[in-house]
């Protein structure tokens, strides 16, 4: 069972991102403030959940949270400022959109760029420890997956409806056949599968 809070005196917002390691598309981030008594038996790190479980949890999180927001930074900006800084920026943008003010930020991972004057706590694998970070991971992942589904209709040969922009063998083979498109991250070491290996 996930922990409901890191501490009880300050209003906490959980932060997480999705799509950091992808070959294509934006990086998404979410910020979520949950009630102290929020509990759902399915809630966990989004990577540990099935797609249907994430899709079931999303409206519950949105309805039950005190506040939530989702934001993204596109592939062109990722290429300009690098993926780490783009992840931080997406988190900051999600915080900008919150309609409640947190007093402490719980950030999944080991690094974060301070946001305004708010204290933050980086927690490695925090999306499997704290409910608010897990909830943020679910929102970031489902919103990003939905976005990549839309991009799939423009460029169906990359299989983004299935791989969501990650460097799967199918995606790499498609890059070898069709080249890169405007949604690929040109600063990444995108390695197509050579035809000789297929």
């Amino acid at each position: 069972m996930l922990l409901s809070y890191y501490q009880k005196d300050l209003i906490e917002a959980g932060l997480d991102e999705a799509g950091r390691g992808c070959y294509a598309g934006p990086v998404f981030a979410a910020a979520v403030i949950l009630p102290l008594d929020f509990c759902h038996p399915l809630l966990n790190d989004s990577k540990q959940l099935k797609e249907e479980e994430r899709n079931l949890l999303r409206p519950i999180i949105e309805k039950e949270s005190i506040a939530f927001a989702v934001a993204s930074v596109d592939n062109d900006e990722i290429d300009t400022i690098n993926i780490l800084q783009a992840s931080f920026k997406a988190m900051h943008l999600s915080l900008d959109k919150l309609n409640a003010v947190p007093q402490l930020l719980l950030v999944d991972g080991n690094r974060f760029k301070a946001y305004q004057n708010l204290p933050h706590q980086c927690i490695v694998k925090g999306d499997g420890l704290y409910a608010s970070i897990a909830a943020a991971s679910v929102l970031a992942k489902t919103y990003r997956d939905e976005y990549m589904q839309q991009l799939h209709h423009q460029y169906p040969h990359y299989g983004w409806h299935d791989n969501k922009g990650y460097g799967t063998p199918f995606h790499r083979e498609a890059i070898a056949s069709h080249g890169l498109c405007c949604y690929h991250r040109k600063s990444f070491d995108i390695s197509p599968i050579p035809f000789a290996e297929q």
Side-chain angles (χ1 to χ4, degrees):
M1 185 65 70
L2 298 175
L3 298 171
S4 298
Y5 49 83
Y6 183 77
Q7 51 73 62
K8 294 182 71 170
D9 297 326
L10 303 174
I11 298 170
E12 298 175 350
L15 289 167
D16 202 1
E17 52 75 25
R20 186 166 160 178
C22 293
Y23 279 12
V27 61
F28 273 66
V32 179
I33 301 174
L34 292 176
L36 289 178
D37 61 354
F38 180 87
C39 181
H40 193 285
L42 275 183
L43 184 61
N44 199 354
D45 167 12
S46 64
K47 297 184 292 297
Q48 304 300 319
L49 299 172
K50 298 175 182 176
E51 183 176 5
E52 55 265 32
E53 293 173 330
R54 293 192 295 266
N55 291 336
L56 185 152
L57 281 165
R58 174 172 153 179
I60 295 170
I61 293 166
E62 293 177 344
K63 179 182 178 183
E64 300 294 332
S65 64
I66 293 169
F68 75 90
V70 181
S72 65
V73 171
D74 68 23
N75 58 291
D76 290 329
E77 190 160 7
I78 290 169
D79 287 338
T80 300
I81 65 176
N82 78 49
I83 185 58
L84 179 63
Q85 296 305 317
S87 298
F88 294 159
K89 181 170 182 179
M91 290 183 186
H92 285 201
L93 290 171
S94 69
L95 289 166
D96 289 343
K97 294 167 65 176
L98 278 180
N99 60 12
V101 181
Q103 298 168 308
L104 174 66
L105 307 178
L106 301 184
V107 185
D108 184 58
N110 61 1
R111 285 191 284 181
F112 185 63
K113 186 175 182 179
Y115 176 79
Q116 298 182 2
N117 295 318
L118 290 178
H120 66 268
Q121 182 67 45
C122 292
I123 303 168
V124 176
K125 298 185 179 178
D127 47 6
L129 293 173
Y130 291 96
S132 63
I133 303 179
S137 78
V138 168
L139 294 192
K141 174 67 174 165
T142 54
Y143 274 78
R144 187 180 190 281
D145 284 359
E146 189 176 79
Y147 184 85
M148 294 306 294
Q149 291 272 10
Q150 295 169 8
L151 292 190
H152 168 72
H153 296 299
Q154 294 182 48
Y155 293 92
H157 43 267
Y158 294 115
W160 289 341
H161 66 299
D162 183 46
N163 62 54
K164 307 303 189 293
Y166 283 93
T168 63
F170 182 94
H171 190 183
R172 293 172 64 204
E173 289 172 4
I175 291 169
S177 299
H178 302 280
L180 303 177
C181 77
C182 61
Y183 293 109
H184 281 103
R185 302 174 184 178
K186 311 303 192 293
S187 60
F188 277 42
D189 181 17
I190 296 178
S191 304
I193 295 178
F195 288 108
E197 295 181 14
Q198 297 178 29

